[in-house]
Amino acid sequence: MEEGAVTWRRRSGDIPLGRAIDWAYGNDVNQSDYGVVEYSNSDVAPYGTIQYADGSEGQISRSASAFDGEKVKRVGTMSQDLVGMVLATVATVTYTDGTTLTNMVEASNCTVHGDSGGPLFSGETALGINSGGSYADQPCGDSDSQADRSSFYEPVDEVLSWEGLQVYWATDDLSLPAAPPHQRRCSGRREAVSEP
């Protein structure tokens, strides 16, 4: 991890959430791309949901490893692509800055600059954290697969295991234990890619 604390903010309203406590971008033994943010703002409840472009939300209640051919959706800050499938579960990608990442999930979903860190999911299951994609400087269709596009994701199960984390599940069931006061969130962060 680089020196110094980085404050993480919710884009909507520029609300501080907490600080980045760990991250990697090809500089770790696993050649991965992710970040972990520890929530420290007691005025903000941790989320167990993803937010679609229209403002509606979808529940994420678990994580799993992706499998070849699995139907998946992707949501990012700048675009969404709700029609896609897993192309490979052990992909290697080399970005235009020369960084090579291994053991990534490759999906047919389109992604653009600014979508990094968004989820790859199927139903209520988190599968990956967006790292980047091919032709990320060109627009995506919001619901149509584009044959020449692909995107790459850090497998979320691996990050959860490495960091000792679990998926946060939002619930109205008051009999379930409350979230820890310093809930942590995983996030990716890379946009441009050139395939090897």
Side-chain angles (χ1 to χ4, degrees):
M1 184 166 123
E2 298 171 22
E3 293 299 318
V6 175
T7 299
W8 201 263
R9 298 176 174 278
R10 182 188 301 160
R11 183 176 181 157
S12 172
D14 195 37
I15 299 167
L17 299 175
R19 63 183 183 90
I21 60 169
D22 195 10
W23 60 86
Y25 176 56
N27 58 346
D28 62 328
V29 68
N30 300 306
Q31 289 184 283
S32 53
D33 181 14
Y34 71 93
V36 176
V37 174
E38 185 173 49
Y39 277 60
S40 58
N41 184 342
S42 60
D43 294 331
V44 178
Y47 293 100
T49 60
I50 54 97
Q51 187 174 36
Y52 295 102
D54 67 4
S56 65
E57 294 182 343
Q59 178 69 53
I60 295 294
S61 59
R62 62 191 158 272
S63 65
S65 296
F67 59 85
D68 288 343
E70 183 172 9
K71 291 182 180 180
V72 292
K73 298 179 179 182
R74 180 207 57 79
V75 175
T77 300
M78 305 306 292
S79 71
Q80 67 181 18
D81 186 354
L82 303 180
V83 179
M85 66 181 239
V86 174
L87 302 173
T89 57
V90 190
T92 297
V93 61
T94 299
Y95 288 103
T96 55
D97 66 2
T99 301
T100 298
L101 304 175
T102 60
N103 298 314
M104 304 292 280
V105 173
E106 181 179 8
S108 64
N109 303 71
C110 174
T111 187
V112 298
H113 291 295
D115 284 338
S116 298
L120 180 71
F121 60 100
S122 180
E124 292 188 6
T125 304
L127 302 170
I129 303 165
N130 182 245
S131 175
S134 60
Y135 306 105
D137 57 343
Q138 298 175 18
C140 292
D142 276 345
S143 62
D144 300 323
S145 274
Q146 294 171 282
D148 62 339
R149 305 292 284 269
S150 65
S151 46
F152 298 90
Y153 303 83
E154 185 66 46
V156 74
D157 266 358
E158 290 182 1
V159 175
L160 296 174
S161 175
W162 296 331
E163 297 288 339
L165 302 172
Q166 63 186 21
V167 169
Y168 177 77
W169 179 39
T171 179
D172 292 330
D173 184 349
L174 300 178
S175 66
L176 295 175
H182 296 292
Q183 185 70 38
R184 295 190 277 181
R185 176 182 175 187
C186 297
S187 160
R189 60 186 175 128
R190 216 36 68 195
E191 291 102 16
V193 66
S194 64
E195 297 179 53

